Amino acid sequence: MGEFDLIERFFKRPPQRADVGIGDDCAVWSPRAGHQLAFSADMLVEGRHFLSTVEPARLGHKALAVNLSDLAACGATPQAFLLSLSLPRADESWLSGFSQGLFQLANAHGCELIGGDTTQGPLNIAITVMGEVPLGQSILRSGAQAGDDLYVSGHLGDARLALEAFRGTVSLPRSVFDAARLRMEAPTPRVALGIALRGIAHAMADISDGLLGDLGHILKASHVGAEIELPSTSALMQTTHHWSCPPDLVQTCVLSGGDDYELVFCAPPLASASVQAAAQASGTRVTRIGRITATPTLVLLDAQGQVVHSQFRSFDHFA
């Protein structure tokens, strides 16, 4: 099967909103009046971002999910994406599963594939996604203000727990491992929550490399600091609901685990009811974990409000 047969069979679809889709040198898109376009790109490399044992359908889902998570963090509505795919070989069974998982998530968010590229080489998946947001309503990293409450969506740490199980550093009951592995291989992009938080959240980022690291991007861009109340983070790992997990492992997974693709955001205390309404409207759990401070440092507080010194580090692609 040649390159163009591969595209025609597994990836080409009639354009929905695009003026020109797959089949020309460029895709063409006309933005709606009163809206800005938001773009993001992510690359997944075998052995660095996913294991060779992952099911193709889950990999197709994750490849798009990590990009949709970036749009969610900006409060943008997904519109379209480009896919660049490097494959060791044109395996029809693999391509069928991958494209099924990819398009299932794409259809759920009304996000159409409008172009890209394929080549032979090491397995590598690169997606550029495009969304739209009403003019001036993007939620950026730079808007955090001292006194804001600090929140995270969903659960944190389960993906890192699954990775530790794969590495052999922890032994998990089968049901716990399956639940954690699903969180690692098929994350849920919080698009609906991101959109619902327009006009409410002052700043937001998605948690891809770990809570402390991605929150750090907000603090740096906003020239502020933060206090995280550790007791509020202890219940964030979903798998601990039905398994006794060592407290130090919980903290490592939750604070610096990565691969969560949840949202960390801040909003003024007076907006707490609006935050909960946005959470309810989007069907997403939201937990307050601390506050933004004027002093540009990030500190962790125990149950007595005392500073806890830690050596937590988030994921670094070049570490």
Side-chain angles (χ1 to χ4, degrees):
M1 180 170 51
E3 175 185 3
F4 298 105
D5 293 330
L6 183 158
I7 295 170
E8 185 78 26
R9 179 173 175 183
F10 294 103
F11 298 107
K12 187 172 182 180
R13 289 179 158 193
Q16 301 298 314
R17 284 201 54 209
D19 301 310
V20 178
I22 294 175
D24 220 301
D25 288 305
C26 290
V28 180
W29 188 275
S30 298
R32 289 196 298 165
H35 288 73
Q36 294 173 297
L37 296 181
F39 296 88
S40 184
D42 266 297
M43 181 186 305
L44 298 185
V45 179
E46 185 178 23
R48 189 61 172 169
H49 299 99
F50 61 91
L51 303 176
S52 60
T53 53
V54 64
E55 295 177 7
R58 286 191 178 182
L59 184 56
H61 171 105
K62 183 171 184 176
L64 182 57
V66 302
N67 285 269
L68 295 181
S69 183
D70 285 329
L71 292 184
C74 193
T77 303
Q79 298 295 323
F81 68 102
L82 305 173
L83 169 67
S84 294
L85 192 58
S86 171
L87 296 167
R89 61 188 180 281
D91 183 324
E92 295 185 24
S93 176
W94 188 94
L95 284 163
S96 177
F98 177 85
S99 59
Q100 180 182 2
L102 179 80
F103 284 125
Q104 185 173 9
L105 184 62
N107 292 343
H109 291 279
C111 192
E112 61 177 308
L113 177 60
I114 59 174
D117 192 23
T118 57
T119 190
Q120 187 175 30
L123 184 54
N124 182 16
I125 307 155
I127 286 180
T128 299
V129 72
M130 179 181 73
E132 68 174 19
V133 61
L135 191 65
Q137 293 190 32
S138 299
I139 307 173
L140 306 179
R141 295 175 176 177
S142 56
Q145 299 177 21
D148 282 351
D149 286 328
L150 186 62
Y151 299 89
V152 294
S153 68
H155 296 90
L156 304 181
D158 297 298
R160 173 62 179 271
L161 184 64
L163 181 61
E164 293 302 322
F166 275 116
R167 289 173 171 171
T169 61
V170 63
S171 179
L172 304 178
R174 186 69 197 188
S175 61
V176 174
F177 173 69
D178 288 344
R181 183 178 184 178
L182 180 63
R183 291 277 293 153
M184 180 178 77
E185 295 179 343
T188 301
R190 302 301 186 182
V191 174
L193 177 62
I195 293 171
L197 287 171
R198 291 176 189 163
I200 300 172
H202 280 163
M204 186 153 60
D206 85 318
I207 304 173
S208 55
D209 297 329
L211 171 60
L212 297 187
D214 291 308
L215 171 59
H217 298 318
I218 291 178
L219 304 185
K220 182 178 180 179
S222 299
H223 308 290
V224 293
E227 294 177 347
I228 293 181
E229 300 158 2
L230 287 178
S232 68
T233 68
S234 61
L236 285 176
M237 207 161 81
Q238 186 177 36
T239 52
T240 59
H241 296 174
H242 47 92
W243 179 60
S244 179
C245 185
D248 58 338
L249 179 58
V250 172
Q251 285 196 355
T252 296
C253 292
V254 169
L255 297 177
S256 60
D259 242 11
D260 295 304
Y261 299 100
E262 296 290 352
L263 299 177
V264 54
F265 64 95
C266 60
L270 289 177
S272 60
S274 297
V275 168
Q276 294 304 321
Q280 184 175 3
S282 61
T284 309
R285 167 182 166 150
V286 164
T287 304
R288 183 189 177 279
I289 61 167
R291 67 187 187 96
I292 300 296
T293 63
T295 305
T297 56
L298 173 57
V299 298
L300 308 178
L301 304 177
D302 62 17
Q304 288 71 45
Q306 299 300 308
V307 175
V308 176
H309 298 283
S310 71
Q311 300 297 320
F312 293 111
R313 294 182 62 187
S314 291
F315 180 76
D316 184 337
H317 289 84
F318 292 94

